[in-house]
Amino acid sequence: MSDEQPFDTIIEPFRIKTVEPLRRTTRARREEALREAGWNLFSVCGKDVLIDLLTDSGTGALSARQWGMMMQGDETYAGADSFYRFEAAVQDITGLEYVIPTHQGRAAERILFRAMVNAGDLVLNNTHFDTTRANIEYRDAEAVDIPCVEAATNDDYPFKGNIDLVRLDQILTENPDRVPLVMITVTNNSGGGQPVSLANIRAAREICNQHDVPLFLDACRFAENAWFIHLREEGQANRTPIEIAREMFSLVDGATMSAKKDGMANIGGFLAMNDSEIVVACRNMLILTEGFPTYGGLAGYDLEAVAVGLYEALEEDYLRYRIASIAYLADILAREGVPMITPPGGHALYLDAGVLLPHIPWNEYPGWSLAIAIYLEGGIRGCEIGSVMFGQQPDGSEQAAPRELVRLAFPRRSYTQSHVDYVAEVLLRVYAKRDELRGMRMVNSPAVLRHFSARLEPLS
Ligand code: F0G
């Protein structure tokens, strides 16, 4: 690891070889776009968005090295070279023995839960991502979130993504034979993109061992998590991100991964594990629904992009820039008192709409209202993580989500600092008129994952 850091300015550690124009829209057009979309930003066309912070998933820029290897993609149906390069990269970084490619993270989840989770089971996680939760509930099992107590505070605790070890032990003790696996999501996306410490994963491992329950990582943002460990955990400052990542994976029995995040790819994922029996059931399921085990629903060139991308996500210069650009935005907003989850996450900033809009009750969806206002103001698209996303119960009733957040997730290697300056300016303008914002009403809601396609309307 280089100890040389001679300048204060952290630069984007790349130059731009291919560009894509951004399209400006008028406020009138944005209003029209929202009306057409049922006031759901997921239904707004990309061409009507100026800066798209809806997700960091599959939206990043590929590197010249990735494109170069993609040209060498081997499209052989069975046993393609590209698969072996992909498998070698995943094994090298995770140390896990069996590697199953999948078209994205949720496919890995579905296959894993189909093999391991039965009706009436409990699956524990620091915080389940929405597709993870839905895939567990689809098995008639329960997804239980047990984030650490610090997660809900405004303290600058360094590892707010940690799993609650006391509750973990307690739930495992009270429910023998009911928990088929425990998961830890790194970083904890739905909990604010917050990291999990090595110490926490290690302690969870010990508790799982005592109860003989396997531990899996939801590893989507493993590289960002490793960087936070490097920055914040005692004794880790001299270790490289890849060394730390290897240790994180060495503590678990398996992992699900969306390569659309820290795989630096536009599509792809994997399921990896050490259990030679479960992997057989998973591979059989893979063949039924995804594809043959050496491509798993991906093209050879996709496998190549991931094989390179997993290493690029672990490069120090990249991680330094990545984390700094979110922190830069957070600093500007914090100076003006904009409420948000602090410290800022690795891939996203999470505005606290519940605090920002105290006049809007949870069942009028303050996060949704704020996300709409940000889009209307400056064409920036974020994503509500609040009572629209998490308020819907399996029995159809509604309940307040733990927090009303708006996530501004940054695609990897796509935007520069002036884009971030613009985002800050727009957010501060919205903040200045926060008292004028009104709540939303649900007009039409699908039975599951309603945030993707619900139609709402603003309350006058
Ligand atoms: N787990 C976590 C923690 C995620 O953030 C995601 C996706 C998944 C699993 C599922 O992966 O999309 O490849 O099927 N998160 C995206 C997001 C969609 O915007 O946060 P996928």
Side-chain angles (χ1 to χ4, degrees):
M1 173 167 294
S2 159
D3 56 4
E4 218 181 355
Q5 181 66 29
F7 297 104
D8 291 336
T9 311
I10 296 172
I11 60 169
E12 287 88 0
F14 48 79
R15 58 181 178 175
I16 296 163
K17 178 137 78 176
T18 306
V19 296
E20 205 182 356
L22 293 178
R23 246 183 281 223
R24 287 186 190 278
T25 50
T26 60
R27 192 181 182 95
R29 172 60 208 146
R30 295 196 288 276
E31 241 179 90
E32 190 183 24
L34 281 172
R35 227 170 276 128
E36 288 164 8
W39 300 86
N40 186 332
L41 289 167
F42 280 100
S43 302
V44 169
C45 297
K47 68 176 168 45
D48 288 320
V49 178
L50 181 66
I51 306 269
D52 206 344
L53 307 181
L54 183 69
T55 177
D56 63 323
S57 180
T59 49
L62 297 171
S63 68
R65 266 196 70 216
Q66 282 175 299
W67 282 116
M69 286 309 294
M70 285 164 78
M71 287 303 291
Q72 297 181 50
D74 177 358
E75 305 303 340
T76 303
Y77 190 93
D81 278 356
S82 299
F83 170 72
Y84 295 112
R85 281 192 281 270
F86 172 91
E87 183 187 45
V90 176
Q91 286 172 336
D92 178 39
I93 291 167
T94 69
L96 295 164
E97 194 171 347
Y98 304 109
V99 179
I100 295 179
T102 59
H103 79 276
Q104 59 185 87
R106 67 199 69 183
E109 293 162 9
R110 190 183 53 79
I111 289 166
L112 178 69
F113 299 150
R114 175 76 188 254
M116 293 189 74
V117 178
N118 291 306
D121 283 349
L122 302 176
V123 179
L124 314 179
N125 199 324
N126 44 357
T127 309
H128 291 85
F129 182 66
D130 53 355
T131 60
T132 322
R133 167 175 295 280
N135 271 307
I136 290 165
E137 288 169 356
Y138 193 70
R139 301 289 297 150
D140 291 323
E142 202 181 324
V144 183
D145 292 341
I146 47 169
C148 65
V149 285
E150 292 85 354
T153 67
N154 289 327
D155 303 344
D156 267 1
Y157 184 68
F159 291 104
K160 280 185 171 177
N162 283 352
I163 195 165
D164 185 332
L165 297 166
V166 175
R167 293 198 61 207
L168 174 64
D169 189 44
Q170 187 188 357
I171 297 172
L172 288 173
T173 306
E174 288 168 2
N175 297 278
D177 303 326
R178 238 188 113 190
V179 182
L181 79 160
V182 171
M183 295 188 84
I184 297 182
T185 303
V186 293
T187 57
N188 187 1
N189 181 14
S190 306
Q194 300 293 315
V196 179
S197 70
L198 271 177
N200 187 254
I201 306 175
R202 208 177 289 124
R205 163 86 271 168
E206 277 166 28
I207 294 169
C208 287
N209 280 351
Q210 283 158 21
H211 296 272
D212 202 19
V213 172
L215 177 63
F216 274 66
L217 280 186
D218 176 339
C220 295
R221 298 176 182 85
F222 75 97
E224 290 168 9
N225 199 82
W227 185 248
F228 280 121
I229 289 173
H230 162 81
L231 293 178
R232 298 181 185 170
E233 190 159 349
E234 218 185 307
Q236 301 299 323
N238 292 323
R239 296 178 77 199
T240 60
I242 198 167
E243 285 168 346
I244 296 169
R246 284 186 180 127
E247 183 170 355
M248 283 161 48
F249 285 108
S250 76
L251 295 166
V252 296
D253 301 290
T256 57
M257 172 75 188
S258 168
K260 302 173 74 172
K261 285 83 170 175
D262 281 348
M264 305 291 252
N266 298 126
I267 196 73
F270 60 79
L271 171 61
M273 66 182 76
N274 286 328
D275 191 304
S276 59
E277 281 175 31
I278 295 168
V279 76
V280 172
C282 291
R283 282 211 180 106
N284 289 338
M285 191 49 54
L286 185 84
I287 293 173
L288 266 185
T289 59
E290 289 275 299
F292 190 74
T294 60
Y295 73 87
L298 295 171
Y301 54 76
D302 295 321
L303 295 166
E304 298 286 359
V306 177
V308 175
L310 289 169
Y311 289 102
E312 290 185 345
L314 287 162
E315 284 170 9
E316 275 182 49
D317 261 359
Y318 159 72
L319 285 166
R320 185 176 294 116
Y321 135 80
R322 170 94 178 136
I323 303 305
S325 56
I326 316 279
Y328 172 76
L329 176 61
D331 282 349
I332 299 173
L333 300 181
R335 281 201 293 273
E336 304 300 324
V338 179
M340 64 188 135
I341 295 191
T342 56
H347 66 297
L349 190 84
Y350 293 68
L351 301 172
D352 193 334
V355 176
L356 204 147
L357 303 172
H359 57 289
I360 302 181
W362 71 267
N363 55 1
E364 292 178 9
Y365 314 122
W368 203 269
S369 165
L370 181 61
I372 293 287
I374 293 167
Y375 172 72
L376 265 179
E377 190 68 34
I380 298 166
R381 174 156 67 172
C383 175
E384 188 248 27
I385 300 194
S387 290
V388 175
M389 185 182 277
F390 286 124
Q392 190 178 31
Q393 302 304 301
D395 67 2
S397 64
E398 269 202 313
Q399 199 174 296
R403 296 183 88 160
E404 305 295 341
L405 304 173
V406 173
R407 185 186 74 170
L408 302 170
F410 282 75
R412 292 168 180 76
R413 306 189 287 207
S414 302
Y415 293 118
T416 64
Q417 187 171 338
S418 67
H419 294 118
V420 179
D421 283 325
Y422 172 80
V423 172
E425 188 178 346
V426 171
L427 294 177
L428 291 179
R429 276 205 209 173
V430 172
Y431 184 57
K433 36 179 154 168
R434 59 193 179 279
D435 295 344
E436 295 165 29
L437 269 56
R438 293 289 165 265
M440 307 291 301
R441 189 176 77 83
M442 187 65 71
V443 175
N444 186 296
S445 164
V448 288
L449 296 177
R450 65 178 176 176
H451 53 288
F452 288 130
S453 55
R455 293 182 81 82
L456 293 92
E457 71 186 14
L459 292 164
S460 51

